[in-house]
Amino acid sequence: MDESGPSGRPEEDGAPSSRAVRIQDVARLADVSTATVSRALASPERVSPEARARVLEAIAKTGYVPNPAARSLRSQKTYMVLVVLPDLSNTFFSKILRGIEERLFEAGYGMIISDLDGSPEKEAHFAAFTAAGRVDGAILLNGHLFGQSRDGEGTPAKTGIPLVALCEAIPSADIPQIEIDNRAAASGMTQHLASLGHRSIAYVSGPPNNILERERFLGYQEGLKASGLPFDPALVLAGDYTIASGMRAGQDLVARSTRPTAVFCTSDEMAIGLMRTLLSAGLRVPEDISVAGFDDIEFAAVAEPALTTIRQPRRELGQTAAAVLVDLLQGRPSPKRIRLETELVLRDSVAPPQNMEKAPAKITRTSAIKPT
Amino acid sequence: MDESGPSGRPEEDGAPSSRAVRIQDVARLADVSTATVSRALASPERVSPEARARVLEAIAKTGYVPNPAARSLRSQKTYMVLVVLPDLSNTFFSKILRGIEERLFEAGYGMIISDLDGSPEKEAHFAAFTAAGRVDGAILLNGHLFGQSRDGEGTPAKTGIPLVALCEAIPSADIPQIEIDNRAAASGMTQHLASLGHRSIAYVSGPPNNILERERFLGYQEGLKASGLPFDPALVLAGDYTIASGMRAGQDLVARSTRPTAVFCTSDEMAIGLMRTLLSAGLRVPEDISVAGFDDIEFAAVAEPALTTIRQPRRELGQTAAAVLVDLLQGRPSPKRIRLETELVLRDSVAPPQNMEKAPAKITRTSAIKPT
DNA sequence: AGTTCTGATGTAATCGATTACATGGCAACA
DNA sequence: TGTTGCCATGTAATCGATTACATCAGAACT
């Protein structure tokens, strides 16, 4: 009764309208049973070469594609993977997604994206979605398991399907984790700044309670300690990884009478926003203040000045997470934790502090113009 | 035999493991038939209040979620929408996706993303995917319909499911188009540059054959004509919307002996890459060359100098496309073409050319620091 | 009081693929 | 030559929800 698509009649001209080429049609044309058709596709070695050839020919002739709903109903598999992330419009995720999509595609899986958007309602929806068996597995980028529809008390997320945590480790859950060593990376950057002579290094944080943030903050403190510098709470500025929060942090700094000589922002977005604010206020980067970022997003290299930062292998992170999940889905063993390497990318936004200009600053800096 | 998830036994402790709460279980508990349960959910007005209450209670108690495969098999609906785009890692798309996801979610639809990545193989895969009835509809951001598995001769993409073209119109197809007026926007920016006194305005193009590119290029030419300026092919630089191509265009300009006084880049990415290259070569923006972009991505406002550009309502574009598609899916009528408004965003990267400094340049510029 | 209509509910067919089990033919064996 | 076993194939049950059709009770008629 609501059969009116954009085109009108369900059938016209020669072709019988892509709908309704069933396995039966193929079976009839190939003069075999439906079981043989199914087997010819799922386990070719179990049918005779002749039958297989006839089946394949019939499939080619009819353009048969198995009905996924029927297949899924019977076999309890969906060949779909859910990717849960906190904010789809965040630049940081797009390349990760791409990596995930690539690997999943290769393995024959589709990708469903859920942008949680901080909404518990959405979270509940996707929890139900998952529980309903709509996906075979999930990759979680949001740093926590979502609450189940019921029995949400003790163990979180007993979905029963394979899960993989990407970027944000989930401490309580016994699932594979793909991540970078945030702590070591943050410590490394802090020590790098200190090694250039900076004694007052500010830190622009991520959102509180965020696991990445906790790790990076620990790394920052570690780096200070390793460099023999005291930790000063006044140098910790609140951020949330967004450009806007970087600008706010910048305004905070501009308003101060005494400023740190270097600022370590835990995302490139914040670093870029912060630099913008400093520059607008007449401060120079890196001459007056050095600024470092985290992530190495595309825009880091073309920021003005080009941003010194920590490269995360984003695409590879996505690919790895997808590969691990596919392993799980196909019953293969998989490592419980994979840590990918980060890399300190030295560009122009960091230099030794002004008052000790003696040291040759630029020897470590890479070429700023590097057309990928 | 491959029943070994990460947890081990399929059943443990009290809870009967989220699997296998069927409509029958609910029916038995509520002491009604499966038909009544189904009706209580699909058309509540068709069951008595008491029965409905008992059913809802039983559902709450069991945590029942309808099996989507079964539902889909019977009703021929998937409640899934495919979003096809050329490059998932492109910043420009992320906010559009967010808009799409929001609306789809509200309407109870899921979103499957297909990153074509320029691969015909992938395209064929998703065409088959679509034909297989795996989604109820699709939003196409890639500017063309994908080839069908068979009968790909005459009409392209006779998928039979509702389609919506977003951003890149698809001339040959009779499907709703959601877009901006690229031509008018490009013409407007060109005229804006001309009105400031620029007589030599370069144009950095998108990829050839791209429909956006064609429209914007026409707009550029129109704008020149409307301003009484001649069209000079030497001022057209090849780009492909990426940062890297913007940098290449910048190098081209830097190498020239006589340079245009303004450059209109048809994406913000290119504009930012180009500015970076100019600045590195010692040229000043906007004093030596004005640079304008297109899109108004997040980073445009924090570029140095802040980028004058054309704002596309990206989230709204996504939302609108999704809303139109949902209308189609639910049998409601929908407009054939929707054009959303763009907006000229005046920032600091554009100013009158050097040699006619007399005019007051800055009166039209908006505040550069605007923490969203 | 008898008939008709309406609204709530139940029974069972159905969607299309997978797969356990059954069957039949042929080779390998004693 | 008779028996055993394997391989290719077919038959039919199955997955879980939707829905056409049947049924039945009670209200509203004549």
Side-chain angles (χ1 to χ4, degrees), chain B residues 270-305:
Chain B
M270 294 197 294
I272 289 171
L274 183 134
M275 286 202 302
R276 183 73 182 92
T277 308
L278 298 182
L279 293 170
S280 295
L283 292 167
R284 292 164 305 157
V285 177
E287 292 81 355
D288 297 326
I289 299 190
S290 286
V291 176
F294 203 120
D295 289 348
D296 195 29
I297 62 176
E298 265 74 17
F299 290 95
V302 289
E304 179 60 35

Side-chain angles (χ1 to χ4, degrees), chain A residues 111-346:
Chain A
M111 175 177 76
I112 297 177
I113 289 187
S114 127
D115 180 345
L116 285 192
D117 194 17
S119 143
E121 184 195 322
K122 277 198 151 182
E123 195 153 334
H125 173 83
F126 282 108
F129 192 89
T130 308
R134 224 153 161 164
V135 293
D136 292 344
I139 296 176
L140 307 173
L141 277 142
N142 57 327
H144 62 103
L145 304 168
F146 29 54
Q148 284 306 88
S149 37
R150 58 202 176 105
D151 80 347
E153 342 96 19
T155 41
K158 266 241 218 74
T159 54
I161 62 170
L163 301 173
V164 170
L166 178 52
C167 289
E168 306 209 16
I170 303 176
S172 62
D174 182 30
I175 63 177
Q177 321 245 342
I178 318 300
E179 58 188 347
I180 58 163
D181 191 338
N182 284 286
R183 191 160 161 178
S187 172
M189 179 60 89
T190 308
Q191 292 184 54
H192 169 67
L193 294 170
S195 76
L196 291 176
H198 293 281
R199 316 245 78 216
S200 174
I201 302 171
Y203 174 89
V204 183
S205 75
N209 297 325
N210 177 284
I211 292 166
L212 295 182
E213 162 54 21
R214 287 213 286 269
E215 287 291 314
R216 291 176 190 178
F217 186 55
L218 286 175
Y220 165 65
Q221 292 176 304
E222 247 174 53
L224 289 178
K225 182 178 271 181
S227 310
L229 295 176
F231 167 67
D232 178 358
L235 291 179
V236 175
L237 306 173
D240 59 10
Y241 295 146
T242 63
I243 293 178
S245 75
M247 294 175 89
R248 282 193 296 272
Q251 285 160 348
D252 182 338
L253 286 182
V254 166
R256 296 190 182 195
S257 51
T258 64
R259 288 191 264 293
T261 58
V263 184
F264 174 25
C265 300
T266 51
S267 84
D268 284 354
E269 264 98 343
M270 294 197 294
I272 290 172
L274 184 134
M275 287 203 299
R276 184 72 182 91
T277 307
L278 297 182
L279 293 170
S280 294
L283 292 167
R284 292 164 305 158
V285 177
E287 291 82 354
D288 297 326
I289 299 190
S290 285
V291 176
F294 202 120
D295 289 347
D296 195 29
I297 61 175
E298 265 75 17
F299 290 95
V302 289
E304 179 59 36
L307 188 65
T308 287
T309 186
I310 295 162
R311 172 173 304 152
Q312 294 204 53
R314 296 192 282 147
R315 186 199 209 106
E316 201 185 337
L317 281 166
Q319 290 177 332
T320 307
V324 168
L325 184 60
V326 168
D327 280 349
L328 283 177
L329 290 174
Q330 304 184 343
R332 274 168 306 208
S334 79
K336 272 294 166 201
R337 161 178 285 200
I338 296 180
R339 281 204 149 142
L340 298 183
E341 288 297 310
T342 58
E343 181 190 347
L344 216 55
V345 181
L346 305 175

